[in-house]
Amino acid sequence: MSDGWQFWIDRGGTFTDVVARAPDGRQTVRKLLSVNPGRYEDAASEAIRLILAEHGAGLDAVGEVRMGTTVATNALLERKGADVVLVVTQGFGDALEIGVQARPDIFALHIVKPDLLHKRVIEARERVTAKGDVLTPLDEAHARAALAAAYEDGFRAVAIACLHGWAYPAHEQRLAAIARDLGFEQISISSEISGLIKFVPRADTTVADAYLSPVLRSYVDAFEAGMAPKGGKPRRSHLLFMQSNGGLTSAAAFRGRDAVLSGPAGGVVGMAAAAQRAGFTHALGFDMGGTSTDVSHFAGAFERTHETMVAGVRLSAPMLHVHTVAAGGGSICFFDGMRLRVGPQRRRRSRPGLLPTRRPADRDRLQRVARPRAAGVFSRDLRTQWRSGARPSHRGNDVRCDVRGNRPRVWAPVLA
């Protein structure tokens, strides 16, 4: 372990928790909102600066930072990744949409297909057999023209997956070189991301990497910039990130494929350690955050998987077995016309509901909302007025319910 201050960070979509240990062994805990515009750019680096300032130390005293983050997880759950163009062998442009033809609910009459992460498909004129024989040489001129058109349309991330590319990656590498020459910022190659047999899982994982890596890289770069001492450069060797498989990796090697369960994986490792310390060999983990909820199982050893599905996306990569639900403490409960639903949308990101806030403007607004009024019973009244097309608004000391647009919303207790 490095000398100096040690920081262990859980950067969630709603809150960021930081545990710090001083060189003399003292421990400090700090909790901040992950996003708080107007106060700080990044919660993790802000917490580190606050803790160091309280003890009269500077950023040069940081020995090591270990972080688990749900940045990639939440980007996948909320579909807020980069715009991706997928390059595949000609004739396989719809392979990912067809998928593995699995039907989670075989009796469902209304089939809802999951959204695809990529927004455009380029079918490269090339073909290599399973034995490595080149049936169709790569048409570089056609590939360059198609990629150039995608770049002009605003795409900056490309995922490349050729048939049998896991064993014979020459065409994938050449396509990557063309994309690099054109200026693409994120280039994910299936032979490097998931060099395994089975085209669909390999291509799905490559697309997910291209979709999430720009978001992840943006966060890592911002964090490193915030951690740089004045007039100096950030020390990348002292920054480690938790991967989906439960291990740590450097900031330079941290990418979207390995970050999908970065935050949840840290929770699984912590749950197992706490259970063993308490004398239990079997435990269930329930990790509810502001954006998502993660459930895991421990029976004396970590459960791992190499093929899994997260938020409707198939992934082929080693990771801890965690089931993630796209709803947490900060998710919005809304009415879709048929039933009440929860998540994955959040209310203004790191501001779950109306209650847990400390911003002065919000406090003033809450005081106006929470003025004592006669509490009413509006279960039947709300249904009646809803059907009649009215837009009522009921507020009481304990519950506030209002209907705006097409979504009736019920808020938790509002306190001034």
Side-chain angles (χ1 to χ4, degrees):
M1 186 173 289
S2 304
D3 296 331
W5 281 81
Q6 311 295 319
F7 291 92
W8 305 299
I9 304 173
D10 179 13
R11 201 282 188 188
T14 305
F15 293 107
T16 295
D17 301 284
V18 179
V19 178
R21 186 169 69 180
D24 59 5
R26 291 176 298 165
Q27 291 190 3
T28 304
V29 178
R30 183 60 62 95
K31 187 184 192 75
L32 295 177
L33 288 171
S34 293
V35 179
N36 197 346
R39 292 197 174 184
Y40 45 78
E41 294 295 330
D42 177 70
S45 56
E46 177 69 11
I48 291 176
R49 283 193 292 268
L50 290 175
I51 292 174
L52 292 175
E54 290 176 358
H55 295 82
L59 291 174
D60 54 352
V62 177
E64 187 178 67
V65 178
R66 299 185 178 189
M67 183 186 302
T69 174
T70 60
V71 170
T73 311
N74 296 334
L76 189 62
L77 291 173
E78 299 177 344
R79 293 299 193 265
K80 293 183 179 179
D83 292 339
V84 178
V85 55
L86 171 63
V87 182
V88 298
T89 302
Q90 188 175 39
F92 292 84
D94 55 356
L96 298 193
E97 184 175 2
I98 296 173
V100 296
Q101 302 187 45
R103 293 182 61 182
D105 187 357
I106 62 174
F107 298 108
L109 298 179
H110 178 59
I111 308 300
V112 180
K113 294 192 291 186
D115 297 332
L116 297 175
L117 296 185
H118 58 277
K119 292 188 175 182
R120 181 179 296 185
V121 179
I122 296 175
E123 297 190 11
R125 297 172 181 171
E126 66 85 31
R127 185 67 180 266
V128 179
T129 68
K131 295 181 179 180
D133 299 327
V134 179
L135 293 180
T136 305
L138 176 63
D139 188 342
E140 296 189 11
H142 171 264
R144 182 178 292 273
L147 285 170
Y151 187 87
E152 290 297 324
D153 291 339
F155 288 91
R156 294 296 181 268
V158 57
I160 303 172
C162 295
L163 201 65
H164 306 304
W166 65 278
Y168 306 100
H171 285 179
E172 287 190 351
Q173 294 170 353
R174 184 57 194 150
L175 288 167
I178 294 173
R180 199 172 294 111
D181 292 340
L182 293 173
F184 280 88
E185 300 171 0
Q186 174 61 41
I187 303 172
S188 299
I189 311 173
S190 73
S191 55
E192 297 178 358
I193 300 301
S194 180
L196 300 171
I197 198 172
K198 294 185 180 181
F199 175 75
V200 172
R202 173 163 51 90
D204 276 327
T205 307
T206 306
V207 172
D209 184 81
Y211 184 78
L212 297 174
S213 288
V215 177
L216 194 65
R217 181 52 48 194
S218 177
Y219 174 74
V220 172
D221 291 343
F223 178 78
E224 289 181 331
M227 288 298 298
K230 289 185 178 180
K233 295 182 178 181
R235 298 176 294 178
R236 285 196 167 194
S237 59
H238 293 168
L239 177 58
L240 300 175
F241 284 90
M242 174 71 73
Q243 300 180 98
S244 301
N245 57 20
L248 294 168
T249 189
S250 64
F254 194 46
R255 58 188 311 158
R257 176 201 64 177
D258 302 317
V260 174
L261 296 180
S262 170
V268 175
V269 174
M271 177 269 293
Q276 290 179 323
R277 188 171 298 178
F280 296 97
T281 58
H282 294 70
L284 292 175
F286 184 86
D287 185 359
M288 182 176 182
T291 307
S292 59
T293 300
D294 308 303
V295 181
S296 57
H297 176 249
F298 179 75
F302 292 115
E303 296 182 354
R304 292 184 170 86
T305 180
H306 292 277
E307 290 189 9
T308 188
M309 181 173 289
V310 179
V313 178
R314 295 177 296 267
L315 295 172
S316 179
M319 60 183 64
L320 295 179
H321 193 192
V322 179
H323 184 70
T324 299
V325 180
S331 298
I332 296 176
C333 177
F334 64 93
F335 183 68
D336 64 359
M338 296 290 292
R339 59 179 177 173
L340 286 173
R341 301 182 61 183
V342 180
Q345 298 86 359
R346 292 173 291 169
R347 178 173 173 80
R348 298 186 184 181
R349 300 189 70 180
S350 297
R351 296 166 61 187
L354 293 178
L355 180 59
T357 176
R358 299 175 184 174
R359 296 158 62 97
D362 290 334
R363 283 201 301 268
D364 295 339
R365 181 166 58 88
L366 290 180
Q367 290 174 359
R368 294 194 299 271
V369 171
R371 290 171 182 168
R373 298 191 181 192
V377 179
F378 38 85
S379 58
R380 183 177 60 185
D381 294 342
L382 182 59
R383 287 198 303 269
T384 301
Q385 296 184 49
W386 170 262
R387 291 169 180 170
S388 65
R391 294 295 179 264
S393 180
H394 303 272
R395 291 172 185 167
N397 291 337
D398 298 326
V399 179
R400 172 184 171 222
C401 176
D402 63 283
V403 181
R404 297 181 181 178
N406 294 321
R407 294 183 178 181
R409 302 181 297 178
V410 181
W411 300 102
V414 177
L415 304 177

